[in-house]
Amino acid sequence: MIKLLHKLIEQTFHFETKIAIETVSNKKILYDSDSLTGLQDEVYYIISYNIDQFGINLISDFHVLERINKDSIHRVLVKIKNEINWFFSTKKSLPKDLDSYKVAFNSYSSGLFSHEFLGHFLETDHFFRSPLNREKEWNFSRHLTIFENFHIPETFDDNGDPITKNIPLIRNGEILHLLSSRLDQQHSHNTGNGRRENLRMPVITRMRSMFVQPGKTSEEKHIESINKGIYIHKIGMGEVNIFTGDFSVEVSHASLIEAGQFTASIEPFHLYLDIRHFFDKEIVFCSNSNEYHSLCGKKGATVKVKYISPSIIIEGLGNAIQ
């Protein structure tokens, strides 16, 4: 199957493609495999790919899968083909009057955004090391509700402590709980969020499975109501500074919204945010909700995370785009 995709891409776009299935337990890379036989059952799998032309890398990314079969591989291959089509699409520069633009995130981007921008601040070791925890008001949009350890099969964390499931971190914009583990339980109730990459790594407080509560109106209806907006299809891994509250992320795929319609692709750009400036932002949550798996790095260790999130629309965020 993968060889067929290689042939299709190379014939259509004259690219050299490198697609790999990486297993977790031994990090073995299976190159150019057209068969899924012989793969052992794993906690998760990583499908990575590189698209080169004339020796120059154009596109590289990865997807995390809990199960590997023909259907899951096919979905990844469709995404790779869409990436190539996007790369060669005609793109416009960013509009000038961005302050008046609404910014919409699809469900994938909003999940990653919530994980990086909010979730890491609510890990106890981060929260109590940051001077930001002395802010008098930590209230977000009244429509924001986030749960962690949401619908997970695990009972104990990597310290052997019981996991508190379905924790309401934020409800109606108010912070209710933090994530913690045995390491920092002197600051907060131990929620059983001690995780490590492998037996050679220390156990630290980590997110596991985030759920952002959706709204009641469809994404399509909300988009139709936007006069001027930016729709974010894909963002990269973000960087967050727990001491200053600064957050930055590259937006690789975005579209222009004009009079409720997608009108053009936009050149890649960056979002630069301060979490304190996020308190007064009005957030609209759409009714769609999708599940995604990714990898999260913290203190040199990588673990798999999951987020279930709707598309969101944020007013007054246009000035964060550069």
Side-chain angles (χ1 to χ4, degrees), residues 19-20 23 35 121 138-139 148 169-171 184 204 222 229 254 277 279-280 304:
I19 303 174
T23 63
S35 172
F121 269 102
W138 271 83
N139 291 320
E148 242 297 332
L169 297 182
I170 299 174
R171 177 174 283 141
D184 44 43
I204 58 177
H222 282 301
H277 298 157
F279 294 158
D280 61 349
K304 183 179 79 68

Side-chain angles (χ1 to χ4, degrees), residues 73-116:
I73 291 290
H74 176 73
R75 287 193 293 271
V76 173
L77 300 186
V78 170
K79 290 179 181 179
I80 295 174
K81 186 176 179 182
N82 290 339
E83 286 251 20
I84 295 171
N85 289 329
W86 181 276
F87 185 86
F88 280 96
S89 65
T90 302
K91 301 176 183 66
K92 283 188 174 182
S93 299
L94 283 168
K96 300 296 183 183
D97 56 336
L98 287 171
D99 287 357
S100 61
Y101 278 68
K102 296 181 179 180
V103 179
F105 296 74
N106 68 3
S107 58
Y108 165 76
S109 296
S110 75
L112 184 54
F113 177 81
S114 300
H115 170 93
E116 296 284 355

Side-chain angles (χ1 to χ4, degrees), residues 242-300:
I242 63 170
F243 296 100
T244 65
D246 294 324
F247 172 80
S248 64
V249 64
E250 181 186 11
V251 177
S252 56
H253 295 181
S255 297
L256 189 64
I257 302 172
E258 297 174 300
Q261 300 291 325
F262 294 105
T263 57
S265 302
I266 301 175
E267 293 283 354
F269 58 87
H270 283 82
L271 278 175
Y272 295 96
L273 302 170
D274 183 322
I275 194 168
R276 288 164 294 192
H277 298 157
F278 197 67
F279 294 158
D280 61 349
K281 299 293 188 239
E282 188 62 33
I283 308 176
V284 173
F285 294 85
C286 303
S287 61
N288 64 320
S289 191
N290 295 294
E291 177 180 311
Y292 301 94
H293 301 264
S294 189
L295 300 178
C296 175
K298 179 180 176 180
K299 297 182 179 179

Side-chain angles (χ1 to χ4, degrees), residues 41-78:
D41 287 339
E42 298 282 347
V43 178
Y44 62 92
Y45 304 86
I46 303 168
I47 307 296
S48 59
Y49 56 91
N50 291 278
I51 310 297
D52 300 337
Q53 188 176 46
F54 308 124
I56 301 173
N57 180 251
L58 303 178
I59 303 169
S60 60
D61 206 345
F62 69 90
H63 294 278
V64 178
L65 304 177
E66 278 200 316
R67 301 173 189 84
I68 193 160
N69 52 44
K70 290 184 178 180
D71 289 338
S72 62
I73 291 290
H74 176 73
R75 287 193 293 271
V76 173
L77 300 186
V78 170

Side-chain angles (χ1 to χ4, degrees), residues 43-44 115 123 148-149 154 156-159 163 180-182 192-198 201-209 294 296 298 301-306:
V43 178
Y44 62 92
H115 170 93
E123 293 169 334
E148 242 297 332
N149 295 336
E154 298 95 330
F156 299 96
D157 71 1
D158 289 340
N159 282 319
I163 297 172
S180 68
S181 64
R182 185 184 301 180
N193 281 83
R195 303 184 67 193
R196 60 183 170 190
E197 180 178 349
N198 55 54
M201 304 290 285
V203 179
I204 58 177
T205 301
R206 307 295 298 268
M207 284 175 279
R208 185 180 283 110
S209 175
S294 189
C296 175
K298 179 180 176 180
T302 301
V303 296
K304 183 179 79 68
V305 292
K306 178 174 73 174

